mmCIF file of all heavy atoms in Angstrom:
data_model
loop_
_atom_site.group_PDB
_atom_site.id
_atom_site.type_symbol
_atom_site.label_atom_id
_atom_site.label_comp_id
_atom_site.label_asym_id
_atom_site.label_seq_id
_atom_site.Cartn_x
_atom_site.Cartn_y
_atom_site.Cartn_z
ATOM 1 N N ASP A 239 -5.831 17.412 -9.133
ATOM 2 C CA ASP A 239 -5.420 17.774 -7.779
ATOM 3 C C ASP A 239 -6.607 18.403 -7.046
ATOM 4 O O ASP A 239 -7.226 19.341 -7.557
ATOM 5 C CB ASP A 239 -4.258 18.758 -7.843
ATOM 6 C CG ASP A 239 -3.655 19.052 -6.474
ATOM 7 O OD1 ASP A 239 -4.145 18.508 -5.474
ATOM 8 O OD2 ASP A 239 -2.690 19.836 -6.425
ATOM 9 N N VAL A 240 -6.927 17.869 -5.859
ATOM 10 C CA VAL A 240 -8.050 18.421 -5.091
ATOM 11 C C VAL A 240 -7.573 19.100 -3.811
ATOM 12 O O VAL A 240 -8.370 19.397 -2.925
ATOM 13 C CB VAL A 240 -9.090 17.319 -4.766
ATOM 14 C CG1 VAL A 240 -9.711 16.793 -6.049
ATOM 15 C CG2 VAL A 240 -8.482 16.191 -3.944
ATOM 16 N N GLY A 241 -6.255 19.343 -3.694
ATOM 17 C CA GLY A 241 -5.747 20.118 -2.571
ATOM 18 C C GLY A 241 -5.448 19.337 -1.323
ATOM 19 O O GLY A 241 -5.322 19.931 -0.243
ATOM 20 N N LEU A 242 -5.313 18.009 -1.421
ATOM 21 C CA LEU A 242 -4.942 17.205 -0.260
ATOM 22 C C LEU A 242 -3.433 17.276 -0.049
ATOM 23 O O LEU A 242 -2.666 17.213 -1.008
ATOM 24 C CB LEU A 242 -5.374 15.753 -0.447
ATOM 25 C CG LEU A 242 -6.886 15.502 -0.420
ATOM 26 C CD1 LEU A 242 -7.203 14.090 -0.902
ATOM 27 C CD2 LEU A 242 -7.451 15.729 0.983
ATOM 28 N N GLY A 243 -3.017 17.396 1.212
ATOM 29 C CA GLY A 243 -1.600 17.504 1.522
ATOM 30 C C GLY A 243 -0.946 16.152 1.724
ATOM 31 O O GLY A 243 -1.375 15.140 1.164
ATOM 32 N N SER A 244 0.107 16.123 2.556
ATOM 33 C CA SER A 244 0.858 14.900 2.792
ATOM 34 C C SER A 244 0.029 13.890 3.585
ATOM 35 O O SER A 244 -0.888 14.250 4.334
ATOM 36 C CB SER A 244 2.146 15.207 3.553
ATOM 37 O OG SER A 244 2.954 16.106 2.822
ATOM 38 N N LYS A 245 0.390 12.622 3.425
ATOM 39 C CA LYS A 245 -0.273 11.545 4.150
ATOM 40 C C LYS A 245 -0.110 11.752 5.661
ATOM 41 O O LYS A 245 0.956 12.148 6.138
ATOM 42 C CB LYS A 245 0.364 10.221 3.715
ATOM 43 C CG LYS A 245 -0.369 8.977 4.141
ATOM 44 C CD LYS A 245 0.307 7.757 3.511
ATOM 45 C CE LYS A 245 -0.364 6.467 3.948
ATOM 46 N NZ LYS A 245 0.335 5.289 3.352
ATOM 47 N N TRP A 246 -1.165 11.473 6.412
ATOM 48 C CA TRP A 246 -1.133 11.647 7.859
ATOM 49 C C TRP A 246 -0.266 10.590 8.541
ATOM 50 O O TRP A 246 -0.082 9.490 8.045
ATOM 51 C CB TRP A 246 -2.547 11.516 8.426
ATOM 52 C CG TRP A 246 -3.405 12.723 8.254
ATOM 53 C CD1 TRP A 246 -3.063 13.896 7.643
ATOM 54 C CD2 TRP A 246 -4.750 12.882 8.701
ATOM 55 N NE1 TRP A 246 -4.118 14.780 7.688
ATOM 56 C CE2 TRP A 246 -5.172 14.173 8.333
ATOM 57 C CE3 TRP A 246 -5.637 12.062 9.379
ATOM 58 C CZ2 TRP A 246 -6.439 14.657 8.619
ATOM 59 C CZ3 TRP A 246 -6.907 12.532 9.665
ATOM 60 C CH2 TRP A 246 -7.305 13.817 9.286
ATOM 61 N N SER A 247 0.212 10.953 9.734
ATOM 62 C CA SER A 247 0.845 9.989 10.632
ATOM 63 C C SER A 247 0.656 10.506 12.050
ATOM 64 O O SER A 247 0.363 11.688 12.269
ATOM 65 C CB SER A 247 2.334 9.830 10.320
ATOM 66 O OG SER A 247 3.057 10.968 10.735
ATOM 67 N N PHE A 248 0.836 9.620 13.039
ATOM 68 C CA PHE A 248 0.688 10.051 14.422
ATOM 69 C C PHE A 248 1.788 11.041 14.813
ATOM 70 O O PHE A 248 1.621 11.847 15.722
ATOM 71 C CB PHE A 248 0.713 8.826 15.351
ATOM 72 C CG PHE A 248 -0.619 8.130 15.437
ATOM 73 C CD1 PHE A 248 -0.895 7.033 14.633
ATOM 74 C CD2 PHE A 248 -1.597 8.566 16.316
ATOM 75 C CE1 PHE A 248 -2.124 6.384 14.712
ATOM 76 C CE2 PHE A 248 -2.823 7.938 16.395
ATOM 77 C CZ PHE A 248 -3.091 6.839 15.589
ATOM 78 N N ARG A 249 2.936 11.008 14.121
ATOM 79 C CA ARG A 249 4.020 11.940 14.425
ATOM 80 C C ARG A 249 3.671 13.371 14.039
ATOM 81 O O ARG A 249 4.237 14.318 14.566
ATOM 82 C CB ARG A 249 5.303 11.498 13.709
ATOM 83 C CG ARG A 249 5.911 10.212 14.233
ATOM 84 C CD ARG A 249 7.299 9.997 13.643
ATOM 85 N NE ARG A 249 7.248 9.901 12.198
ATOM 86 C CZ ARG A 249 7.022 8.771 11.532
ATOM 87 N NH1 ARG A 249 6.799 7.648 12.203
ATOM 88 N NH2 ARG A 249 7.011 8.747 10.215
ATOM 89 N N THR A 250 2.757 13.529 13.092
ATOM 90 C CA THR A 250 2.389 14.875 12.627
ATOM 91 C C THR A 250 0.992 15.262 13.109
ATOM 92 O O THR A 250 0.336 16.099 12.493
ATOM 93 C CB THR A 250 2.443 14.938 11.089
ATOM 94 O OG1 THR A 250 1.502 13.997 10.538
ATOM 95 C CG2 THR A 250 3.836 14.617 10.584
ATOM 96 N N LEU A 251 0.547 14.665 14.218
ATOM 97 C CA LEU A 251 -0.820 14.851 14.672
ATOM 98 C C LEU A 251 -1.161 16.309 14.951
ATOM 99 O O LEU A 251 -2.255 16.778 14.641
ATOM 100 C CB LEU A 251 -1.081 14.001 15.926
ATOM 101 C CG LEU A 251 -2.533 13.882 16.394
ATOM 102 C CD1 LEU A 251 -3.398 13.286 15.295
ATOM 103 C CD2 LEU A 251 -2.621 13.031 17.667
ATOM 104 N N GLY A 252 -0.213 17.075 15.529
ATOM 105 C CA GLY A 252 -0.489 18.483 15.825
ATOM 106 C C GLY A 252 -0.792 19.280 14.572
ATOM 107 O O GLY A 252 -1.770 20.035 14.511
ATOM 108 N N ARG A 253 0.045 19.128 13.559
ATOM 109 C CA ARG A 253 -0.181 19.842 12.302
ATOM 110 C C ARG A 253 -1.471 19.385 11.639
ATOM 111 O O ARG A 253 -2.212 20.186 11.059
ATOM 112 C CB ARG A 253 0.997 19.606 11.357
ATOM 113 C CG ARG A 253 0.832 20.265 9.996
ATOM 114 C CD ARG A 253 2.001 19.953 9.084
ATOM 115 N NE ARG A 253 2.153 18.527 8.870
ATOM 116 C CZ ARG A 253 1.385 17.815 8.028
ATOM 117 N NH1 ARG A 253 0.403 18.402 7.367
ATOM 118 N NH2 ARG A 253 1.592 16.524 7.865
ATOM 119 N N VAL A 254 -1.746 18.075 11.754
ATOM 120 C CA VAL A 254 -2.964 17.509 11.160
ATOM 121 C C VAL A 254 -4.203 18.175 11.738
ATOM 122 O O VAL A 254 -5.105 18.603 11.016
ATOM 123 C CB VAL A 254 -3.000 15.988 11.397
ATOM 124 C CG1 VAL A 254 -4.397 15.426 11.159
ATOM 125 C CG2 VAL A 254 -1.985 15.284 10.504
#
Side-chain angles (χ1 to χ4, degrees):
D239 187 359
V240 296
L242 291 168
S244 301
K245 192 174 178 182
W246 282 1
S247 73
F248 278 96
R249 292 190 300 273
T250 61
L251 191 59
R253 178 182 59 78
V254 164

